[in-house]
Structure formats: structure tokens, C-alpha cells
Amino acid sequence: MKMTITMKTIHVLNLILILFSICVSANDEGFVTCGSAVKFSHLESGGLFLASNEHRINSGSGQQLVTVSPEKVSTHTLWIVKEGDNLEPCRPGLKIPYGTKIRLTHLTTQSNLHSHHVSSPLTRQQEVTGFGGNGEGDHGDDWVVQPLRGNGQYWERGVEVTIKHAQTGKYLGASSQAKFTAGNCGRQCPVMNHLEAFGRARADKLSSWKAEVGVFLSK
């Protein structure tokens, strides 16, 4: 069964997260599941969240800007977990095995987390953007999640993971030293004090994430 995200669904999820900002599940098993709307916290920065909105990058590809945001309660930090590009739709509520290709679709803009061989604006690492529309995109939207330690079978909430870009092999990362400021973004910067999201060559403290807050679906 293919899950369709409608504007009504978006409004309901927005309301839930604004009111509660907690994990919601009909049968809490502690796993990240297909169709869930998840917030990804970045560990090195102290728990800032992967975010996006309608803003465009003023350099490189010019695609939708993805950052790591200090906003704790915002629907701009919600991402829907889906099957990889051109794969069979995964059943809502199904646990995600580590190593599986997935897409992360931004809840409010419906673009996919994306990367490609273009330099990022601040650190000149690999650009990470939002791409496509209504959840549709290409192979550059595929990512693979692996635990930072251990060898569990399924993606668990609250466990430190890496998020690796399937096509280029770069790891989703950010750094508290790579922040958008008035000096590098202008006085009217729409993402002031956000961190740059980038793809980096190795898995380390800058590419460590947790998925522990969101609306988690169960079978």
C-alpha cells in the first residue's frame, strides 16, 4: 500500500508536534518505522535539528536550503521516512532494517533530502539540499542508515546513527563551527544561527545523529 501525504495529513501532523513535541505511537516498540515523521538531532551541536523550508541556496545548485536548526518546536524539522527511489513502497508502520535505502521527505515542502557533487556554501564540503516535489525525485535522494556502534537489525529510536548518501558515499553532517551569520549570510539572513548541513567523507562526531522525537507509526 502506498501512503499518500495530503495537506490534511500535514496539518494534523503539524498540530500534533506543536502541541506535544513528543514521540507518538499506537504501539511504542522503540523503532523508526516507514511513514513516520521524525526529527533528527545532531549530536556534536548539542541536539540541533535537521531542517528545511522554502529558501534557496544562493550559490552552487540553487536548490532548496537544508540546515541544522536551533528551533526546538518547529514543523520545519520534520522528515517523513519512505522507501528509496523506485523501490516498492514500504508499508506504513514497518520497521526499517539498517542498511536499507530510504528517502527522507520534508513534511512541509515535500522535497526530498538530497546530495550531489556540488560544494556546500560555507565549508566547501558536499552540498545537501531539498530536491523534487510531492516526494518525487531521483537516486540522489537515497540514504542508508547504520548504527554508529553495535550491529542491531532494525533502526532504533534514540540510537546514534550515521546517515550515508547512497550515490556518493558521503555522510550527512554538520558542525557547530559552520554557522550562518550576518557576516557570511547577510543581515537579513533567513537562517541566522543555523548550521550548514553538508556531506562529508568520513563517519565521525560531526556525522552522528539520533531519531528520537516525532510521530511514529505502528502496524
Side-chain angles (χ1 to χ4, degrees), residues 14-31:
N14 285 353
L15 180 61
I16 290 171
L17 264 293
I18 289 171
L19 291 176
F20 299 104
S21 189
I22 58 172
C23 298
V24 177
S25 174
N27 181 21
D28 189 350
E29 296 179 336
F31 295 100

Side-chain angles (χ1 to χ4, degrees), residues 57-136:
I57 301 174
N58 289 329
S59 63
S61 68
Q63 292 178 2
Q64 185 172 304
L65 184 63
V66 172
T67 64
V68 178
S69 171
E71 298 177 28
K72 297 297 183 182
V73 181
S74 171
T75 53
H76 293 307
T77 57
L78 280 168
W79 300 83
I80 301 167
V81 181
K82 300 168 67 175
E83 70 284 343
D85 185 59
N86 286 330
L87 296 181
E88 281 292 318
C90 60
R91 191 170 67 218
L94 197 67
K95 293 184 289 188
I96 305 292
Y98 287 125
T100 302
K101 286 184 181 180
I102 61 167
R103 281 175 296 164
L104 298 173
T105 300
H106 189 241
L107 178 66
T108 55
T109 65
Q110 288 292 287
S111 66
N112 296 319
L113 188 69
H114 180 90
S115 193
H116 44 215
H117 292 295
V118 176
S119 295
S120 61
L122 298 186
T123 64
R124 314 307 293 171
Q125 298 189 75
Q126 186 164 292
E127 193 179 78
V128 172
T129 66
F131 177 75
N134 296 318
E136 300 298 326

Side-chain angles (χ1 to χ4, degrees), residues 139-150:
H139 290 307
D141 306 335
D142 287 342
W143 300 82
V144 175
V145 175
Q146 293 286 8
L148 198 61
R149 303 175 188 85

